[in-house]
Amino acid sequence: MTVDPQRARLEARLGRRYELTRRRLDIGKLSIDFTCVANPDRVLDEVAEEEDRLERISGVRAPADQLHLPYWAELWDSAIGMGRWLADAGEKLESGKWRMEEAACAPSTIRDFQPSPPNVLDLGCGMGLAGTVAAALGGRVLFADLEPPALLFARLNSLPWRERVRTRRLNWQTEQLGEQFDLILGADILYERKQWDFLEPFWRAHLAPGGAVLLGEPGRQTGDLFVDWIGSRGWRLTRHAEKVETRERPIRLFELRL
């Protein structure tokens, strides 16, 4: 069996810092080998312990919004639901058409991407599941996240499609990418209300004409509030839903268009 040198290097690099586990994820008709953190709670505990150590040294507690909490280390149900919905939505992205078939909560829409393949942004990508699915379906994907370890995992998990994948460290509050995308993905990035004031102008600046933003949301109260909030800013929202085994309620998917 041939060993992929790039995979071996990434696994060794990540394995020095984290305990890894590999899962086979069946995402629609796709089967993806996905490497992730074996114990996300342990990563969170380590961050908290380091913050306590720094506070003891300096006597100052860092503001909550400056803590780099490792949300990226969890494989969120929203990412699984989004990946399944993308994989099952219809024709593959590589065909030049992305057909969103009828879902339980919304009428069908048809999006013809020109040129093909489409540019896809996985924003706040975490370990990269949603963007990996988009790459497997033919999209040219940019993984963007604030945390460097997340980008390493995203690179590792998308290696079979590496020729159409890029990564970029990004703070969506302060930075711009200088390009536009046909599809912007965001799996579970709506949980914090104060981020919406940064996300909405970011989407507006980076969405190509006729493109769509697709957001995965697990049913939090903030998700309920977001629907009216985003509508008041001139976006058209279509709701979809996708069942995952670990939740009684489906993952909500908000498709936004200007």
Side-chain angles (χ1 to χ4, degrees), residues 21-258:
T21 185
R22 183 179 293 183
R23 298 171 57 180
R24 176 64 62 88
L25 299 177
D26 294 321
I27 307 292
K29 295 181 180 180
L30 301 174
S31 186
I32 294 175
D33 285 325
F34 196 81
T35 300
C36 52
V37 174
N39 189 346
D41 290 338
R42 180 178 177 183
V43 179
L44 178 60
D45 290 343
E46 290 173 353
V47 170
E49 289 169 2
E50 176 63 10
E51 180 56 35
D52 289 342
R53 185 186 70 83
L54 294 174
E55 183 180 6
R56 288 194 298 272
I57 294 172
S58 66
V60 178
R61 186 74 174 180
D65 60 357
Q66 294 182 18
L67 295 177
H68 287 212
L69 296 177
Y71 296 129
W72 61 266
E74 185 77 41
L75 178 55
W76 298 103
D77 291 336
S78 292
I80 295 173
M82 177 179 289
R84 288 183 177 174
W85 192 83
L86 285 171
D88 292 338
E91 299 173 7
K92 292 186 187 303
L93 294 173
E94 60 194 356
S95 70
K97 295 180 180 180
W98 181 36
R99 176 183 291 274
M100 296 181 179
E101 297 292 357
E102 291 190 8
C105 303
S108 63
T109 58
I110 296 176
R111 172 77 173 99
D112 290 336
F113 285 110
Q114 297 295 335
S116 177
N119 286 325
V120 180
L121 172 64
D122 189 355
L123 183 62
C125 64
M127 292 181 288
L129 179 58
T132 294
V133 171
L137 295 175
R140 294 176 298 183
V141 179
L142 174 61
F143 293 98
D145 202 284
L146 181 62
E147 304 300 336
L151 298 174
L152 292 175
F153 274 98
R155 283 177 55 197
L156 175 62
N157 287 316
S158 62
L159 277 177
W161 306 279
R162 70 193 76 181
E163 71 280 358
R164 51 180 178 263
V165 164
R166 298 174 290 148
T167 61
R168 163 73 184 267
R169 189 179 185 189
L170 173 74
N171 184 338
W172 65 50
Q173 293 187 6
T174 59
E175 296 179 283
Q176 298 282 306
L177 293 171
E179 58 183 305
Q180 293 185 320
F181 300 86
D182 303 295
L183 178 62
I184 299 176
L185 305 175
D188 215 341
I189 62 174
L190 298 178
Y191 56 88
E192 197 171 36
R193 166 60 185 86
K194 65 182 180 181
Q195 296 296 337
W196 303 353
D197 296 317
F198 300 103
L199 285 167
E200 192 274 337
F202 185 93
W203 297 328
R204 191 177 291 270
H206 292 87
L207 191 62
V213 179
L214 187 65
L215 305 171
E217 204 287 317
R220 296 188 178 94
Q221 185 179 14
T222 48
D224 297 333
L225 299 173
F226 177 78
V227 172
D228 289 337
W229 184 90
I230 199 67
S232 70
R233 280 152 180 79
W235 294 81
R236 184 174 75 254
L237 183 147
T238 304
R239 304 182 195 220
H240 308 277
E242 188 71 32
K243 286 286 294 181
V244 296
E245 290 82 356
T246 52
R247 302 182 64 86
E248 293 184 3
R249 298 172 60 188
I251 294 297
R252 297 189 291 191
L253 295 162
F254 298 150
E255 177 192 340
L256 306 182
R257 295 178 183 270
L258 284 169

